Amino acid sequence: QVQLVESGGGSVQTGGSLRLSCATNEYTYNSYCMGWFRQAPGKEREGVAAIEHDGTTHYSDSVKGRFTISKDNAKNTLYLQMNSLKPEDTAMYYCAADQDYGLGPQNFAYWDQGTQVTVSS
């Protein structure tokens, strides 16, 4: 069973940083591709970053250079380090997993409950 437990959202000012965490079980962590998505009010859910089985990472152009996706093997946890945050980064952020990597949220089958990130100007 795939379980994803996310934490770390909150409110920051422009230019600030936050780190999101997504804990899962060992099987999911080792066998699934994992990613971060976000959805702002009135907008479609969009991919932010993803990491494949072999460690290959993918980033959306809007966060490249500011966000970093990483994994902690000892804790079976996925992270999203978000630096230089902007008001347009404000959204509900979701952790997701799937056995195979595919571009776009429609390719991820398992989702957590999401956490709110708010960036004020």
Side-chain angles (χ1 to χ4, degrees), residues 31-46:
S31 304
Y32 282 62
C33 300
M34 299 183 73
W36 293 99
F37 296 81
R38 66 186 182 188
Q39 188 167 18
K43 295 188 177 181
E44 293 186 351
R45 190 168 297 188
E46 63 174 357

Side-chain angles (χ1 to χ4, degrees), residues 19-32:
R19 189 178 75 163
L20 304 182
S21 301
C22 178
T24 187
N25 57 47
E26 184 175 1
Y27 178 77
T28 301
Y29 182 85
N30 291 325
S31 304
Y32 282 62

Side-chain angles (χ1 to χ4, degrees), residues 22-98:
C22 178
T24 187
N25 57 47
E26 184 175 1
Y27 178 77
T28 301
Y29 182 85
N30 291 325
S31 304
Y32 282 62
C33 300
M34 299 183 73
W36 293 99
F37 296 81
R38 66 186 182 188
Q39 188 167 18
K43 295 188 177 181
E44 293 186 351
R45 190 168 297 188
E46 63 174 357
V48 175
I51 187 165
E52 299 188 49
H53 298 105
D54 63 359
T56 300
T57 56
H58 304 269
Y59 294 94
S60 68
D61 289 341
S62 62
V63 306
K64 202 170 294 183
R66 299 188 298 122
F67 291 11
T68 303
I69 188 171
S70 64
K71 300 174 76 175
D72 185 330
N73 296 336
K75 297 182 179 180
N76 297 329
T77 299
L78 178 75
Y79 297 103
L80 183 69
Q81 178 66 44
M82 305 184 291
N83 298 329
S84 302
L85 283 161
K86 305 175 182 180
E88 50 263 45
D89 295 318
T90 295
M92 186 72 77
Y93 282 70
Y94 299 89
C95 173
D98 201 280

